[in-house]
Amino acid sequence: MNDSHDIHVGVLAMQGAFARHVAVLQERGVRASEVRTPAELAAVDALVIPGGESTAIRKALDRGELLEPLRERLASGMPAFGTCAGLIVLAHAAEDGAPETYGALDVDVARNGFGRQVHSFEGSVDMSGGDLGDLDGGRLSGVFIRAPRITRLGDDVTVLGRLAGGEHDGEPVVVRQGNLLGATFHPELTDDPALHARFVELVRAALAAPATTSAP
Ligand code: GLN
């Protein structure tokens, strides 16, 4: 029996670099496993939704009969970390031929919002947006692959990271709302596990003192 009360983080394994997310978490000593079925979802404390293609992820959720179970877990405050297409899936609304989104994270996004020509770029992300523990003031390198752009921030959303320098200087690219974390880039593709570490901290805090997602 596990009496450590430690966390079990699932990684939605429909599409995209899910194996890499599992590896990053496991390298940090966190119990992590792939989630493809309602039973696997029910077994985890938190979920990473990787990047890929949001329409494909949405269809796969439907096929896997995960659409409603995931909606219920999100509504009950399960911590989730959406990266790139995963952020689109969590968002309130998405422009540009987007699939229906969960509306869990109160941001709107524009798919491929950095321009269709720009398939990929690496940008420096300024993480001095606060609320980040040991990351405060730090920088991350972000791999943006046909990344969504955040076009609206809800009142309860905190910006944790912004692009630093370049054409899109100051754009919000890492956001948090309660137990939900979102990044428009792929944090699993760089050697820096800082955002995963932050998510793990968030999950531990959420399990220790379950938070509500809505204000009183
Ligand atoms: N452009 C993709 C979409 O709209 C997201 C790309 C990604 O996750 N790297 O779903």
Side-chain angles (χ1 to χ4, degrees):
M1 287 293 279
N2 176 9
D3 62 358
S4 69
H5 299 288
D6 207 10
I7 57 172
H8 181 184
V9 178
V11 178
L12 189 67
M14 297 294 174
Q15 212 234 349
F18 50 83
R20 190 66 213 130
H21 281 284
V22 171
V24 174
L25 291 162
Q26 288 177 343
E27 280 157 19
R28 303 195 57 77
V30 174
R31 185 173 171 210
S33 58
E34 296 175 2
V35 167
R36 290 190 185 79
T37 65
E40 286 166 347
L41 177 64
V44 297
D45 300 312
L47 189 69
V48 175
I49 308 179
E53 185 61 39
S54 48
T55 45
I57 295 171
R58 181 82 193 186
K59 278 186 201 139
L61 283 169
D62 199 9
R63 270 201 306 275
E65 293 180 0
L66 275 167
L67 218 44
E68 285 313 311
L70 180 50
R71 188 188 306 284
E72 282 162 24
R73 289 298 305 273
L74 290 170
S76 68
M78 175 185 69
F81 180 17
T83 70
C84 205
L87 167 64
I88 298 174
V89 171
L90 287 178
H92 176 256
E95 303 159 18
D96 193 11
E100 194 194 328
T101 59
Y102 275 117
L105 184 58
D106 191 16
V107 297
D108 292 349
V109 293
R111 291 179 72 201
N112 309 311
F114 291 99
R116 287 182 183 281
Q117 302 314 312
V118 186
H119 282 220
S120 177
F121 66 97
E122 195 157 342
S124 178
V125 178
D126 176 359
M127 298 297 296
S128 60
D131 191 19
L132 263 186
D134 59 0
L135 260 185
D136 257 345
R139 291 235 169 164
L140 282 179
S141 181
V143 178
F144 295 76
I145 304 169
R146 296 175 60 80
R149 197 164 177 180
I150 296 171
T151 54
R152 185 190 61 84
L153 291 161
D155 290 344
D156 296 332
V157 176
T158 307
V159 176
L160 300 185
R162 294 182 184 273
L163 269 172
E167 196 188 335
H168 302 290
D169 185 49
E171 287 266 339
V173 292
V174 185
V175 291
R176 177 185 175 189
Q177 181 186 359
N179 291 341
L180 303 176
L181 187 64
T184 63
F185 53 92
H186 284 255
E188 79 285 11
L189 297 182
T190 44
D191 285 334
D192 189 344
L195 274 188
H196 289 85
R198 182 64 187 100
F199 182 58
V200 165
E201 255 177 59
L202 188 158
V203 176
R204 291 207 168 106
L207 292 193
T212 50
T213 45
S214 51

